[in-house]
Coordinates of all heavy atoms in Angstrom, one line a residue:
P937 N 20.0 -5.8 31.0 CA 19.7 -4.4 31.3 C 20.9 -3.6 30.9 O 22.1 -3.9 31.2 CB 19.5 -4.5 32.8 CG 19.1 -5.9 33.1 CD 19.8 -6.7 32.1
V938 N 20.7 -2.5 30.2 CA 21.7 -1.6 29.7 C 21.5 -0.2 30.3 O 20.4 0.3 30.2 CB 21.7 -1.5 28.2 CG1 22.7 -0.5 27.7 CG2 22.0 -2.9 27.6
A939 N 22.6 0.3 30.9 CA 22.6 1.7 31.3 C 23.4 2.5 30.4 O 24.3 2.0 29.7 CB 23.1 1.8 32.7
A940 N 23.1 3.8 30.2 CA 23.9 4.7 29.4 C 24.1 6.0 30.2 O 23.3 6.4 30.9 CB 23.1 5.1 28.1
Y941 N 25.4 6.4 30.1 CA 25.7 7.6 30.9 C 25.8 8.8 30.0 O 26.7 8.9 29.1 CB 27.1 7.4 31.6 CG 27.4 8.3 32.8 CD1 28.0 7.8 33.9 CD2 27.0 9.7 32.8 CE1 28.3 8.6 35.0 CE2 27.3 10.5 33.9 CZ 27.9 9.9 35.0 OH 28.2 10.8 36.1
N942 N 24.8 9.7 30.1 CA 24.7 11.0 29.4 C 25.6 11.9 30.2 O 25.2 12.5 31.2 CB 23.2 11.4 29.5 CG 22.9 12.7 28.9 OD1 22.2 13.5 29.5 ND2 23.4 13.1 27.7
V943 N 26.9 12.0 29.7 CA 28.0 12.6 30.6 C 28.0 14.1 30.7 O 27.2 14.8 30.0 CB 29.3 12.1 30.2 CG1 29.4 10.5 30.2 CG2 29.7 12.6 28.8
S944 N 28.9 14.6 31.5 CA 29.0 16.0 31.8 C 29.0 16.9 30.6 O 28.3 17.9 30.5 CB 30.2 16.3 32.7 OG 31.4 15.8 32.2
G945 N 29.9 16.6 29.6 CA 30.0 17.4 28.5 C 28.8 17.4 27.6 O 28.4 18.4 27.0
E946 N 28.0 16.3 27.6 CA 26.8 16.3 26.9 C 25.8 17.2 27.5 O 25.0 17.9 26.8 CB 26.2 14.8 26.8 CG 27.1 13.8 26.2 CD 26.5 12.4 26.2 OE1 25.5 12.2 25.6 OE2 27.1 11.6 27.0
Y947 N 25.8 17.3 28.8 CA 24.9 18.2 29.6 C 25.3 19.6 29.3 O 24.5 20.5 29.0 CB 25.0 17.8 31.1 CG 24.4 18.8 32.0 CD1 23.0 18.8 32.2 CD2 25.1 19.8 32.7 CE1 22.4 19.7 33.1 CE2 24.5 20.7 33.5 CZ 23.2 20.6 33.7 OH 22.6 21.5 34.6
S948 N 26.6 19.9 29.5 CA 27.1 21.3 29.4 C 26.9 21.9 28.0 O 26.6 23.1 27.9 CB 28.6 21.4 29.8 OG 28.7 20.9 31.2
M949 N 27.0 21.1 27.0 CA 26.9 21.7 25.7 C 25.4 22.1 25.4 O 25.2 23.2 24.8 CB 27.5 20.9 24.6 CG 26.8 19.6 24.2 SD 27.8 18.8 22.9 CE 26.9 17.2 22.8
I950 N 24.5 21.4 26.0 CA 23.1 21.8 25.8 C 22.8 23.0 26.7 O 22.2 24.0 26.2 CB 22.1 20.7 26.2 CG1 22.1 19.6 25.1 CG2 20.7 21.2 26.4 CD1 21.2 18.4 25.4
R951 N 23.3 23.0 27.9 CA 23.1 24.1 28.8 C 23.7 25.4 28.3 O 23.2 26.5 28.4 CB 23.6 23.8 30.2 CG 22.8 22.8 31.0 CD 21.4 23.2 31.1 NE 21.2 24.4 31.9 CZ 20.8 24.5 33.2 NH1 20.4 23.4 33.8 NH2 20.7 25.7 33.8
A952 N 24.9 25.3 27.7 CA 25.6 26.5 27.2 C 24.8 27.1 26.0 O 24.6 28.3 25.9 CB 27.0 26.1 26.7
A953 N 24.4 26.2 25.1 CA 23.6 26.7 24.0 C 22.3 27.3 24.4 O 21.9 28.3 23.9 CB 23.4 25.5 23.0
A954 N 21.7 26.7 25.4 CA 20.4 27.2 25.9 C 20.6 28.6 26.6 O 19.8 29.5 26.4 CB 19.8 26.2 26.9
E955 N 21.7 28.7 27.3 CA 22.0 30.0 28.0 C 22.1 31.1 27.0 O 21.8 32.3 27.2 CB 23.3 29.9 28.8 CG 23.0 29.4 30.2 CD 24.4 29.4 31.0 OE1 25.4 30.0 30.5 OE2 24.3 28.7 32.0
R956 N 22.6 30.8 25.8 CA 22.8 31.8 24.7 C 21.5 32.0 23.9 O 21.5 32.7 23.0 CB 23.9 31.4 23.8 CG 25.2 31.5 24.5 CD 26.3 31.0 23.6 NE 27.5 30.9 24.4 CZ 28.8 30.9 23.9 NH1 28.9 31.0 22.6 NH2 29.8 30.8 24.6
G957 N 20.5 31.2 24.2 CA 19.2 31.3 23.5 C 19.3 30.6 22.1 O 18.5 30.9 21.2

Side-chain angles (χ1 to χ4, degrees):
V938 175
Y941 201 141
N942 176 224
V943 302
S944 56
E946 299 177 68
Y947 170 81
S948 297
M949 67 183 177
I950 288 183
R951 289 301 299 253
E955 272 180 15
R956 292 175 188 203

